[in-house]
Amino acid sequence: MNLHLSDLKKCFGFDGKTSVDQTGRVLVVDGHDVVGYRVVDQLAYVDYPLIRVGVRNTDDFQVKRWEENEYIIEKVTFDWVDESTYDIALEDVKTVFVTTPTKPANWDVHFPKFLDACHRAKVKKIVKLSFYHSIQSRIENPRQCFGSQEYTAEPGYGIPTVPFVKKHALCDGDLILRKEFDATIIFATHLMSNVFRYGFQRQGLMKDHEFYGASQGKHVNYVSPNDVADIAIKAFFDEIHTREAHNVLGPFPLMDKEVAALLSESLHTAITYVEKPLDFFDKNTAALENIKASGMEEDFPHGDFKRVMNRSPQSFREYLKDTYRMSPVERKVLGAFHPMKLDELKVTREEETKEEIEVADDAEGIEVTAEGAVEKEVESSTEQVGTTQMAQ
């Protein structure tokens, strides 16, 4: 256990008091989110002493296993709509992690005011989770030119008609323009946890044993929220780079029917992938499904994760097995199929995480087919994308 904890700290670059002095108090905004939850959980696990979680209702945010931590995880009220909550949440904070809020819908309108509050609080570092297709915001000011002919002409970049993409592009641009912050932006693809996170998916899985999408048989790049959280924590303790961007992708693309096969394997229940018309989804989800159906994710580069974290990104199967790290909303869905015992999961988590840290650089990927979820080796390809240094 001590060796495992030591290895984990080394993986994150956590160097005890030196890292605490450098990173200071960490505010995790929207700590109930699947990624924010994991960030807080890992910080608590390595006994980081200065953790603050911002949530809309602190009474609704109770995590029993964190109560056993040596240090108190402070909970504060944070509401994107109520800008009066910003200053209190940011008091004595040096590092901020901003995840991907689902509410309110117009959180991007409030983001510049939040950055103003960070400036008043003398925040040093901001790590922001963004979406891979919003990546173009690194080279322009989206609030000035979003939707212009020059902006949309660049091949391979985001789709400006997707609200989710646009919101992140605008906020990424806001952060890049603020030179007073050390900023890291994490451009991640579709989270694997979305199969449990969205209400229509949870209901479909638990009630009808169905997984819904509109990807039209195209391959989709899904990334583990565990990987996103880990690279975010790595950025907290990075004392070298001040303005960086990481592309965080899954190890290989999958068809949604292959995801259904993996869910069947994990849940011990036959899960059927059902192709739905776009009007089945809300506007934003339908637009994201259109991105999947475009096929643009079938030949993605490998991204930065392996180089930064010195291990391969998790496969979908590995994400489903790593149940100890799952947020309450994910656990609720899994619990509907086979109840979980915390003690058993903790042992699994310690063994599997240690194994991941020790994975060699030449580890091969594993792909899963729908027919019986059979594993096959995936040919490794040259990693095409490195960390992009943001404009100073």
Side-chain angles (χ1 to χ4, degrees):
M1 176 63 181
N2 291 333
L3 179 62
H4 161 69
L5 189 58
S6 174
D7 287 344
L8 190 60
K9 290 179 178 179
K10 183 177 180 181
C11 178
F12 288 146
F14 177 60
D15 189 23
K17 186 178 184 300
T18 301
S19 294
V20 173
D21 292 342
Q22 177 78 17
T23 306
R25 190 178 309 280
V26 177
L27 171 66
V28 179
V29 178
D30 294 309
H32 58 281
D33 181 88
V34 292
V35 176
Y37 173 89
R38 284 167 165 83
V39 168
V40 176
D41 198 49
Q42 287 289 70
L43 288 175
Y45 191 65
V46 299
D47 290 328
Y48 192 79
L50 301 172
I51 308 170
R52 180 177 293 169
V53 185
V55 289
R56 287 186 298 274
N57 188 340
T58 57
D59 292 335
D60 292 341
F61 195 68
Q62 306 291 336
V63 181
K64 290 184 178 180
R65 73 185 187 203
W66 292 349
E67 296 174 358
E68 301 176 359
N69 195 54
E70 179 181 355
Y71 307 102
I72 296 174
I73 296 176
E74 183 184 3
K75 295 176 291 185
V76 296
T77 300
F78 181 91
D79 190 335
W80 283 105
V81 175
D82 186 358
E83 295 175 2
S84 68
T85 64
Y86 296 176
D87 289 333
I88 297 175
L90 288 164
E91 185 177 359
D92 296 326
V93 167
K94 189 179 287 188
T95 301
V96 173
F97 178 57
V98 181
T99 62
T100 309
T102 55
K103 294 180 182 179
N106 65 338
W107 67 273
D108 58 300
V109 175
H110 301 278
F111 192 70
K113 295 293 184 65
F114 176 70
L115 293 180
D116 290 340
C118 289
H119 176 78
R120 290 193 298 271
K122 294 182 172 54
V123 168
K124 180 181 179 181
K125 178 176 289 188
I126 298 177
V127 179
K128 180 186 176 296
L129 174 59
S130 187
F131 187 46
Y132 184 84
H133 296 283
S134 305
I135 202 168
Q136 185 178 5
S137 63
R138 294 180 299 179
I139 59 174
E140 303 188 73
N141 177 6
R143 289 200 188 275
Q144 293 183 3
C145 63
F146 198 98
S148 68
Q149 183 176 357
E150 293 80 9
Y151 187 89
T152 57
E154 293 289 336
Y157 283 128
I159 301 176
T161 57
V162 179
F164 184 78
V165 174
K166 181 175 181 179
K167 291 177 191 297
H168 274 294
L170 295 176
C171 296
D172 295 343
D174 291 336
L175 179 56
I176 292 168
L177 291 173
R178 301 294 291 259
K179 305 299 185 182
E180 69 267 37
F181 304 121
D182 293 351
T184 297
I185 300 178
I186 300 170
F187 294 95
T189 51
H190 309 274
L191 294 176
M192 296 174 182
S193 51
N194 288 347
V195 299
F196 300 137
R197 180 186 181 195
Y198 295 142
F200 70 89
Q201 293 288 22
R202 292 199 303 270
Q203 182 177 358
L205 284 174
M206 292 189 291
K207 182 180 178 181
D208 300 317
H209 299 165
E210 293 177 342
F211 167 53
Y212 304 129
S215 54
Q216 299 182 20
K218 298 297 194 299
H219 286 77
V220 180
N221 193 288
Y222 289 102
V223 65
S224 169
N226 300 323
D227 292 344
V228 177
D230 287 352
I231 206 168
I233 296 174
K234 180 81 169 182
F236 294 169
F237 302 134
D238 187 347
E239 300 179 12
I240 300 175
H241 303 96
T242 58
R243 297 178 66 77
E244 237 185 354
H246 297 306
N247 302 325
V248 185
L249 298 83
F252 43 81
L254 291 171
M255 290 187 292
D256 279 336
K257 67 177 183 179
E258 295 174 316
V259 173
L262 288 167
L263 288 169
S264 300
E265 175 188 289
S266 175
L267 301 175
H268 306 288
T269 303
I271 304 297
T272 303
Y273 172 68
V274 179
E275 186 85 9
K276 290 287 189 180
L278 289 178
D279 59 11
F280 171 81
F281 308 96
D282 62 73
K283 180 180 178 181
N284 195 62
T285 305
L288 293 175
E289 290 297 318
N290 258 335
I291 290 179
K292 297 177 182 179
S294 71
M296 69 172 63
E297 299 182 3
E298 294 190 327
D299 190 27
F300 265 15
H302 278 205
D304 300 323
F305 185 83
K306 186 174 182 179
R307 178 184 54 76
V308 175
M309 299 301 297
N310 198 31
R311 69 171 174 84
S312 297
Q314 278 193 328
S315 67
F316 217 118
R317 173 181 277 119
E318 290 169 329
Y319 155 71
L320 291 171
K321 287 182 177 180
D322 205 355
T323 50
Y324 184 82
R325 295 193 64 182
M326 289 186 176
S327 65
V329 67
E330 296 163 272
R331 286 166 170 266
K332 181 178 180 180
V333 178
L334 288 180
F337 290 88
H338 48 87
M340 298 179 293
K341 295 181 179 180
L342 184 60
D343 292 341
E344 295 175 353
L345 294 175
K346 186 172 183 179
V347 172
T348 303
R349 185 254 188 167
E350 291 171 3
E351 294 174 351
E352 291 184 353
T353 307
K354 184 175 188 296
E355 182 180 1
E356 289 169 3
I357 293 173
E358 297 174 346
V359 167
D361 283 345
D362 60 352
E364 296 177 335
I366 299 294
E367 183 176 321
V368 182
T369 63
E371 290 76 17
V374 179
E375 296 182 352
K376 62 180 179 181
E377 294 182 356
V378 179
E379 295 182 0
S380 60
S381 60
T382 303
E383 295 185 12
Q384 304 174 23
V385 181
T387 299
T388 302
Q389 187 74 19
M390 294 191 295
Q392 297 295 323

